[in-house]
Amino acid sequence: MSIDSRQVAAGMLEAVPFARTLGFEFVEIAPEADGGVRAVVRLPDSPATHNHVGGPHAGAVFTLGETASGAVVLAAFGQVLDRAVPLAVRADIAYRKLALGPVRATARLGRPPAEVVAELESGRRPEFPVEVEISTDDGTPTSEMTVIWTLRPQ
């Protein structure tokens, strides 16, 4: 699988203006050895996104994780977006530790892309998880998130 990470990042920033508003940085979007995709998106430290205890607001952290998961979906399924619309179905997040400073979300596809596409091509509407770990820049985990996505046939 070949991924144009700049094109995926630009597509995400175009499709999701709120990601631009929060100043997200797309660090990496790359294929993984198992055929999946990994995306790393960073939220710089800014007083404008802080909460009452000085870390990034929970809403900013959630949006960071959801955006990283969306980058994975766009990279993994770009070839079918002419006939299917990706939609987040639900999400679950656990805030484990206060994050201070910049944070990054690392998202990974939870099912093989070929399996999801085969389900779509068989006429079904596939659902698949994207697992997200959110951590500080030094790698300290602060939150975990799972976003369930679907590809809705057009």
Side-chain angles (χ1 to χ4, degrees), residues 1 34-36 76-77 79 109 111-121:
M1 169 188 298
D34 65 0
F77 303 110
Q79 77 278 10
L109 191 59
R111 283 180 62 192
E115 183 181 289
V116 174
V117 171
E119 195 173 323
L120 176 69
E121 290 176 349

Side-chain angles (χ1 to χ4, degrees), residues 40-151:
V40 180
V41 181
R42 183 174 183 269
L43 172 63
D45 188 32
S46 167
T49 60
H50 285 179
N51 60 18
H52 62 290
V53 291
H57 188 279
V61 172
F62 182 94
T63 304
L64 176 68
E66 195 271 343
T67 299
S69 76
V72 163
V73 172
L74 186 58
F77 303 110
Q79 77 278 10
V80 299
L81 297 184
D82 60 334
R83 60 186 191 273
V85 176
L87 299 168
V89 175
R90 63 188 172 277
D92 182 51
I93 190 165
Y95 302 98
R96 305 270 185 224
K97 180 177 175 140
L98 176 64
L100 294 173
V103 291
R104 53 181 66 215
T106 302
R108 289 184 166 83
L109 191 59
R111 283 180 62 192
E115 183 181 289
V116 174
V117 171
E119 195 173 323
L120 176 69
E121 290 176 349
S122 75
R124 293 179 303 202
R125 184 173 166 169
E127 287 191 3
F128 51 92
V130 177
E131 304 295 336
V132 184
E133 179 181 274
I134 300 163
S135 62
T136 58
D137 264 354
D138 70 2
T140 302
T142 59
S143 302
E144 299 167 354
M145 182 177 196
T146 301
V147 183
I148 305 298
W149 286 83
T150 189
L151 295 175

